[in-house]
Amino acid sequence: MYPIILLCVVVALIFLYLIGRYNKNYWRKRGVAFYDKNKVFGLFWDFLTTEKAMFEILSEIYKSNENAPAVGIGSLMTPSLYVMDPQNVHHVMQTDFQSFTYRGPIINEGDLLGDNVLFMNGPRWKLMRQKLTPFFTAAKLRNMYYILDRTAQDFVEHLKQNPQKLKGNGFDRANEFCAAAIAAAVFGIGTDSSFVSPFLKMARDAFTLNWVTHLRYTVAHLSDSISKAVGVKFFKEQEPFFIGVVKQMFRAAEKDEIKKHYFTDICLSLRKAGVMKDLETGEELEPTDELLAAQGFFFYVAGVEPTASALFGALTELGKHPEIQAKLQKEVDETVEKHGKVTYEIISEMKYLDQVLNETLRIQTPVGFINRICTRDSVLPIGNIEVSKGTKLYIPIFDLHFDPKYFPEPEKFDPERFSPENKGSSDMAYMPFGKGGRVCIGMRYARLQVLAGLLHLLRHFDVLTHRVPGSRKYAKGQFQMRRVDNDIELIPRQM
Ligand code: HEM
């Protein structure tokens, strides 16, 4: 028995050694530096065996390969590349977008809620994205702003009624507001008492970070065939609740039992129009309840976790910088007093508020990096790097935002970087919502939701930031980037 086990171990080790050598040679032949630390499992070895977040591991590669345009990474037998030069990033995301339209990982059949526009690829993605885009027009956002505003005002009241919520667990508070706001604005679910709702629990569960979800994430990203063989599914636990709720919403809206609202409206009109068809590609998609629920599901979870991260990030930065906080409160107070109430139009009058949000999304960018898969051979301009079909790409957000070449003194929170005079100087390296054909579809909505929450909180509270003793700087996340070494205290203002 033992000799057989020993033989298997030796064969496995030789096999791994050969894969590692193959990966290194693959990139050496293309003149690209290689991440030597683990030639076979690349990023995922450290991810599974340390407390580091994925973006922190990528960041170590970025820092130790200063000025390299890209670095090859082991990922079993799939060529993988960390694209670091902003011009190469631009090539992948925009100039040659048609060669990099897939994001990955590939979602397995039966993962019903995973069949959403974030994970879809190719002609299916194109068709679904086209159909969902009208949901986020400026006119729609203008129409729904009053709902976000009302939720923000209700939230301020809720905090005043529950003073125990004013100190600590600031990220949870931001989550409560965001969950209620998106439930009301996008799904038409009233804000009363929804600051503690089953929806919020579901959204939190969908992004729970523990060893099971880390392992799932690792397998899905390392190898499509292993992921398929073991049947990785991302959102199985949330399926019964969310699909059930969406079906009920459709039935009620059809019978006119509830006021028709935006997401339901768009879904009902898609169902009524029947099979969706892309005339250019011939792709067809049947608008089943499950497919529509999957789109709603992702809108909902994206409206909670990353959006709450941005709101909490802004509050912690303001709590650390009283002078910036005071300047922003002055702008908000004066604008609201001038108009008597907050509307979609007056939000865009508050220029400093916008600068503060932009700088927050740089320094506390909720998504640390982006994935792409090459679908057609291409050549990256800087370094003349050949990228073959099937290569998995990692694109930095955090690393570009913290590179002093593009943002001098990157650790400094400085909204002046986004003043009208300075704006534009680092556009190429700034992309909290990604860029190109697959840029975040909810970007404008997300910004509006954060701004509504932030401005009403600042009208009624001062923010103080406290350090969390003994904490790591960042939570161990998959694609997420979230600081956990700060927490906030809200102090009612004397009005
Ligand atoms: C502050 C909050 C948010 C941040 C920082 C954020 C960031 C991102 C990023 C970085 C991407 C990847 C873009 C790329 O690959 O180029 C993305 C994609 C996406 N986001 Fe967001 N997002 C936020 C909120 C939202 C919200 C509220 C929604 C929906 C209501 C949403 C819906 C989506 C969708 C559907 C995609 C996939 C788009 C596609 O592949 O076509 N996001 N987001």
Side-chain angles (χ1 to χ4, degrees):
M1 187 70 184
Y2 284 124
I4 296 177
I5 297 176
L6 194 67
L7 186 69
C8 290
V9 171
V10 171
V11 170
L13 286 176
I14 293 174
F15 193 57
L16 290 177
Y17 169 77
L18 291 175
I19 295 179
R21 214 171 68 161
Y22 166 84
N23 286 340
K24 186 168 178 162
N25 283 339
Y26 181 94
W27 288 115
R28 205 191 50 196
K29 278 188 211 143
R30 290 172 192 230
V32 177
F34 184 69
Y35 176 57
D36 252 329
K37 193 166 174 190
N38 193 304
K39 299 185 185 73
V40 180
F41 296 103
L43 308 169
F44 291 100
W45 184 259
D46 265 8
F47 180 63
L48 286 181
T49 57
T50 70
E51 276 306 296
K52 289 176 206 158
M54 276 291 282
F55 83 88
E56 290 182 284
I57 304 165
L58 284 166
S59 199
E60 285 170 6
I61 300 179
Y62 191 93
K63 289 198 188 94
S64 53
N65 289 277
E66 216 189 329
N67 298 326
V71 172
I73 301 171
S75 184
L76 290 179
M77 298 283 286
T78 310
S80 296
L81 190 67
Y82 191 26
V83 180
M84 302 181 336
D85 185 281
Q87 286 192 54
N88 284 343
V89 168
H90 191 76
H91 177 84
V92 170
M93 313 279 276
Q94 278 175 302
T95 322
D96 195 18
F97 172 69
Q98 291 308 333
S99 302
F100 300 95
T101 53
Y102 279 44
R103 178 180 284 110
I106 305 300
I107 291 294
N108 287 316
E109 215 172 299
D111 195 354
L112 298 179
L113 293 178
D115 193 16
N116 63 56
V117 70
L118 180 87
F119 292 113
M120 282 179 170
N121 287 312
R124 281 186 98 232
W125 161 76
K126 182 170 166 265
L127 180 55
M128 198 70 242
R129 175 134 184 158
Q130 272 168 10
K131 297 292 173 188
L132 293 175
T133 301
F135 188 70
F136 295 100
T137 60
K140 281 252 192 292
L141 296 179
R142 183 178 294 111
N143 284 343
M144 67 169 71
Y145 179 72
Y146 82 96
I147 308 178
L148 294 177
D149 200 75
R150 193 189 59 204
T151 311
Q153 292 185 45
D154 287 353
F155 188 58
V156 166
E157 273 318 299
H158 174 76
L159 291 178
K160 286 184 176 168
Q161 304 295 321
N162 296 277
Q164 76 284 3
K165 289 192 167 186
L166 294 179
K167 188 171 178 186
N169 300 317
F171 184 64
D172 289 347
R173 298 295 87 81
N175 259 307
E176 285 166 13
F177 163 69
C178 289
I182 190 142
V186 175
F187 297 96
I189 298 164
T191 63
D192 303 350
S193 79
S194 56
F195 297 117
V196 245
S197 81
F199 277 87
L200 173 56
K201 184 179 175 315
M202 184 210 63
R204 278 186 183 145
D205 290 349
F207 281 134
T208 299
L209 297 170
N210 57 34
W211 71 268
V212 178
T213 57
H214 292 328
L215 192 62
R216 208 186 269 165
Y217 176 84
T218 298
V219 172
H221 279 84
L222 257 184
S223 160
D224 297 343
S225 33
I226 300 180
S227 165
K228 201 169 176 185
V230 298
V232 167
K233 300 213 171 56
F234 282 99
F235 305 114
K236 218 55 205 158
E237 294 84 1
Q238 289 74 36
E239 237 174 56
F241 173 77
F242 200 80
I243 294 184
V245 167
V246 168
K247 281 186 175 176
Q248 269 173 29
M249 275 165 42
F250 291 165
R251 300 294 96 80
E254 275 165 350
K255 288 191 221 147
D256 263 350
E257 276 174 11
I258 56 168
K259 191 169 152 274
K260 283 194 186 154
H261 40 76
Y262 302 105
F263 178 72
T264 319
D265 262 358
I266 210 164
C267 290
L268 288 185
S269 54
L270 286 177
R271 277 196 347 176
K272 214 163 148 194
V275 174
M276 300 178 256
K277 188 162 181 170
D278 183 347
L279 296 176
E280 204 183 308
T281 62
E283 183 70 21
E284 291 191 353
L285 263 180
E286 199 188 328
T288 60
D289 287 353
E290 286 72 17
L291 183 75
L292 298 173
Q295 314 317 311
F297 171 75
F298 187 69
F299 282 7
Y300 184 77
V301 290
V304 180
E305 160 97 18
T307 316
S309 193
L311 177 57
F312 177 63
L315 291 168
T316 54
E317 293 300 339
L318 292 170
K320 281 189 268 179
H321 298 91
E323 66 302 340
I324 297 177
Q325 184 177 161
K327 184 173 171 183
L328 180 57
Q329 279 173 324
K330 185 167 180 290
E331 181 189 67
V332 170
D333 290 349
E334 285 175 3
T335 318
V336 177
E337 274 148 33
K338 184 170 130 199
H339 294 276
K341 64 174 183 171
V342 186
T343 60
Y344 179 78
E345 281 70 26
I346 77 153
I347 292 248
S348 51
E349 255 182 53
M350 291 182 256
K351 303 288 181 220
Y352 196 60
L353 181 64
D354 200 54
Q355 285 177 226
V356 167
L357 179 57
N358 286 337
E359 175 65 345
T360 299
L361 290 169
R362 180 193 70 79
I363 204 165
Q364 298 221 26
T365 188
V367 177
F369 64 95
I370 291 174
N371 293 100
R372 286 286 186 273
I373 299 176
C374 177
T375 49
R376 190 174 69 181
D377 295 356
S378 183
V379 177
L380 303 185
I382 307 299
N384 212 22
I385 300 167
E386 277 176 53
V387 181
S388 302
K389 183 175 170 183
T391 306
K392 292 187 174 175
L393 307 178
Y394 293 87
I395 311 285
I397 299 182
F398 173 88
D399 283 325
L400 291 178
H401 287 190
F402 275 80
D403 189 329
K405 285 202 287 293
Y406 317 117
F407 298 98
E409 293 186 78
E411 298 284 345
K412 184 175 165 196
F413 181 73
D414 181 10
E416 292 311 317
R417 294 179 206 272
F418 294 92
S419 67
E421 308 80 62
N422 299 331
K423 213 175 165 182
S425 55
S426 307
D427 273 2
M428 193 92 147
Y430 182 68
M431 43 180 219
F433 294 99
K435 58 163 88 162
R438 294 205 72 153
V439 68
C440 175
I441 203 174
M443 170 171 70
R444 289 193 298 175
Y445 170 81
R447 292 184 66 94
L448 207 56
Q449 184 173 302
V450 175
L451 292 175
L454 189 57
L455 81 89
H456 281 289
L457 285 170
L458 291 178
R459 280 282 285 159
H460 293 269
F461 301 102
D462 291 324
V463 193
L464 262 185
T465 297
H466 301 291
R467 278 198 64 80
V468 176
S471 168
R472 289 193 87 236
K473 189 167 179 181
Y474 299 106
K476 180 177 175 61
Q478 295 163 3
F479 60 87
Q480 303 92 334
M481 199 242 55
R482 188 158 74 78
R483 277 190 78 157
V484 284
D485 57 344
N486 292 313
D487 210 337
I488 52 162
E489 179 176 0
L490 297 172
I491 299 157
R493 285 174 72 188
Q494 305 305 325
M495 305 284 279

